[in-house]
Amino acid sequence: MAKMFKRTSDIDMVGTFLALQKVSDKYPWGDDFAYLLMLNPSPSDLDGNDALDYEEKTGITNTEQAVQIDKTFVHDALVDLNRELSNYARAVVQVGVARTGGTDGNIYFTKATFTLGYVDEAGTFTSIASADGTPNFSTNSTDYQLCSAQAYITIPDNTIIYPANRIALKVECYGYRATTEHGKMKLCCSRGSYDSYLDFFWRYV
């Protein structure tokens, strides 16, 4: 069900709650996008393809904090009016980590960097503002253990998204392994779910 609402203190601002989703049938605009910000998440059985529920990095070998997953999610909406964004957006991602070797060292999920911006029809991403979530989570389990990270992104005053562009969120997930171990990480974007999402207010101007 679509999640939109109005803020009572400023009735012309509309709240939007967008799920991070991965699709095989790409959004047919511009550069064709497979990673989307969707007002309604995909059906839980879309394409019968469980790989759409996550973006995975296997073979983590870094022994110091490094980017393991880097994806940009694009809003799949055609809007023919200028939209002004409010001063804050909240971004949340659910991430899983697990070890893949035979020893007992930890795998770490240390940070999620969220960069709010927009893309043009050529697929070029322009940053507006960014913020970090720092869960500092670790596990030595060989099964995925989940942890969510969130951050509030401060948006500059008078930020306007024009009809030629689409709102986008760049997500960078950081982690590393213990010196004796290897690991994997996944960014959850489950069909039929809001396990990872972007929440913000806007109005037409």
Side-chain angles (χ1 to χ4, degrees):
M1 179 178 181
K3 295 193 176 183
M4 296 185 67
F5 51 92
K6 291 186 177 181
R7 188 170 61 186
T8 56
S9 61
D10 192 357
I11 198 66
D12 61 348
M13 298 294 287
V14 177
T16 299
F17 197 90
L18 301 175
L20 276 61
Q21 297 282 277
K22 179 181 176 181
V23 297
S24 52
D25 187 9
K26 296 181 180 180
Y27 175 43
W29 175 79
D31 197 42
D32 291 348
F33 299 97
Y35 299 87
L36 302 177
L37 297 170
M38 303 183 74
L39 192 60
N40 293 296
S42 301
S44 58
D45 59 354
L46 181 68
D47 292 341
N49 183 0
D50 291 345
L52 297 178
D53 291 335
Y54 56 87
E55 180 67 19
E56 188 175 40
K57 166 67 180 291
T58 59
I60 294 175
T61 59
N62 306 90
T63 56
E64 296 181 353
Q65 178 176 272
V67 175
Q68 304 300 335
I69 295 174
D70 181 352
K71 289 297 176 184
T72 300
F73 294 81
V74 178
H75 190 15
D76 66 335
L78 178 61
V79 179
D80 57 1
L81 296 170
N82 298 338
R83 287 186 290 176
E84 180 182 6
L85 304 185
S86 65
N87 292 118
Y88 295 97
R90 181 184 183 223
V92 175
V93 289
Q94 185 180 77
V95 171
V97 287
R99 66 178 174 90
T100 56
T103 58
D104 202 29
N106 283 348
I107 305 300
Y108 296 84
F109 167 41
T110 55
K111 183 174 71 170
T113 296
F114 304 100
T115 304
L116 183 67
Y118 59 87
V119 297
D120 61 19
E121 196 167 359
T124 302
F125 178 81
T126 300
S127 170
I128 295 172
S130 64
D132 293 336
T134 53
N136 292 316
F137 177 76
S138 65
T139 184
N140 64 5
S141 173
T142 54
D143 296 321
Y144 269 120
Q145 302 300 304
L146 301 178
C147 176
S148 294
Q150 72 161 2
Y152 286 92
I153 304 167
T154 302
I155 302 171
D157 290 339
N158 303 314
T159 295
I160 296 175
I161 305 297
Y162 295 98
N165 301 317
R166 300 290 186 274
I167 294 170
L169 182 70
K170 180 180 176 69
V171 179
E172 297 166 286
C173 299
Y174 290 75
Y176 65 98
R177 67 174 177 90
T179 56
T180 58
E181 194 49 271
H182 291 268
K184 59 184 178 179
M185 176 184 288
K186 68 175 180 179
L187 167 61
C188 300
C189 46
S190 302
R191 298 161 297 170
S193 171
Y194 289 91
D195 47 15
S196 298
Y197 62 86
L198 176 67
D199 181 12
F200 64 98
F201 285 85
W202 59 273
R203 64 182 172 189
Y204 290 123
V205 291

